[in-house]
């Protein structure tokens, strides 16, 4: 299971870093980031299914959907990407049916309030992130920052250390993503503050 957690964390970190590079009119890093999240969410969905974290399982399913939506919206070759995603999904479902499904009865599924709150905030952020409106995308980064503070705690208390490192890194990319997305507005605010001080 640690391989799934590590793989999920690595691609999540890469995806978050790419998304933090996106700006007001630059959506290519978002597209590449959604591809990384497509891979990461498959790994983490399996990992959290095996560990019985119900709210996070739901989050990963919805993250996976938003990754598909993000790729679909931002790709420049929609037909190719749809075919690739469909192929990967068929392979994944086949593996899941024959390896994970037979062991579902042995998994202790649980719903904890802290998991639920963090997952809901992250899900809202993920849907906001696929918007073409940069202001709406900036709200996504705020959601991610709040959720990842909680996820660091969840990772630490459950000894999901790769997940904890991933969530800690997300705190940085959330701030970076917000800063890049709202760069023009931040510069205007800085000028206003400077002008106010010089009066």
């Amino acid at each position: 299971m640690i391989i799934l957690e590590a793989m999920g964390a690595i691609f999540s970190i890469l995806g978050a870093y790419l998304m933090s590079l996106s700006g007001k009119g630059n959506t290519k890093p978002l597209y590449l980031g959604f591809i990384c999240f497509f891979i990461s969410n498959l790994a983490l969905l399996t990992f959290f299914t095996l560990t019985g974290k119900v709210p996070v399982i739901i989050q990963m399913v919805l993250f996976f959907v938003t990754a598909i939506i993000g790729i679909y919206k931002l790709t420049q070759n929609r037909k190719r990407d749809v075919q690739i995603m469909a192929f990967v999904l068929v392979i994944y479902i086949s593996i899941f049916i024959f390896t994970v499904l037979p062991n579902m009865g042995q998994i202790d599924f649980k719903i904890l309030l802290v998991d639920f709150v963090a997952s809901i905030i992250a899900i809202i952020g993920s849907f906001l992130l696929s918007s073409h409106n940069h202001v709406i995308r900036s709200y996504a980064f705020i959601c991610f920052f709040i959720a990842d503070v909680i996820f660091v705690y969840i990772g630490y208390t459950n000894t999901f250390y790769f997940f904890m490192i991933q969530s800690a890194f997300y705190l940085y990319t959330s701030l970076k993503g917000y800063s890049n997305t709202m760069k023009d507005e931040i510069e205007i605010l800085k000028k206003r503050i400077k002008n106010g001080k010089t009066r």
Side-chain angles (χ1 to χ4, degrees):
M1 283 201 305
I2 197 168
I3 294 174
L4 289 170
E5 185 189 1
M7 181 178 173
I10 289 167
F11 278 97
S12 284
I13 288 171
L14 181 57
Y17 174 73
L18 286 167
M19 288 193 171
S20 73
L21 300 177
S22 67
K24 187 173 180 178
N26 183 15
T27 59
K28 186 174 181 180
L30 280 177
Y31 167 71
L32 296 174
F34 277 121
I35 290 174
C36 289
F37 284 140
F38 180 90
I39 298 167
S40 169
N41 292 333
L42 284 180
L44 290 177
L45 173 60
T46 309
F47 173 75
F48 285 114
T49 299
L50 294 172
T51 55
K53 290 282 192 181
V54 176
V56 190
I57 292 168
I58 295 169
Q59 172 191 328
M60 288 303 149
V61 170
L62 292 175
F63 271 19
F64 184 65
V65 171
T66 57
I68 291 173
I69 291 170
I71 293 169
Y72 187 81
K73 278 185 175 182
L74 300 172
T75 183
Q76 294 183 355
N77 193 334
R78 188 166 289 175
K79 183 178 178 181
R80 178 202 64 196
D81 285 0
V82 167
Q83 289 175 342
I84 292 172
M85 288 189 292
F87 175 75
V88 171
L89 198 54
V90 167
I91 298 297
Y92 173 79
I93 291 171
S94 301
I95 294 171
F96 191 89
I97 288 171
F98 289 108
T99 60
V100 178
L101 208 57
N103 301 311
M104 292 286 270
Q106 302 171 17
I107 300 170
D108 179 24
F109 289 100
K110 48 196 171 289
I111 301 175
L112 300 177
L113 180 61
V114 67
D115 297 347
F116 180 78
V117 170
S119 294
I120 288 295
I121 296 171
I123 287 166
I124 292 169
S126 185
F127 276 104
L128 294 175
L129 193 61
S130 64
S131 172
H132 283 283
N133 185 307
H134 73 288
V135 176
I136 293 176
R137 288 203 307 270
S138 75
Y139 298 152
F141 289 113
I142 294 170
C143 288
F144 289 146
F145 185 87
I146 296 168
D148 286 312
V149 169
I150 304 172
F151 281 131
V152 168
Y153 169 78
I154 291 171
Y156 177 76
T157 55
N158 288 276
T159 65
F160 299 158
Y161 294 125
F162 281 108
F163 183 69
M164 183 183 73
I165 292 167
Q166 164 195 320
S167 300
F169 183 77
Y170 277 6
L171 295 174
Y172 163 75
T173 56
S174 295
L175 292 174
K176 186 75 173 174
Y178 181 85
S179 176
N180 284 343
T181 303
M182 298 296 286
K183 187 175 181 180
D184 292 344
E185 286 79 357
I186 290 170
E187 288 300 319
I188 291 169
L189 181 61
K190 284 180 180 178
K191 287 178 181 177
R192 285 179 180 172
I193 291 171
K194 185 178 178 181
N195 291 336
K197 287 182 178 179
T198 57
R199 286 177 185 175

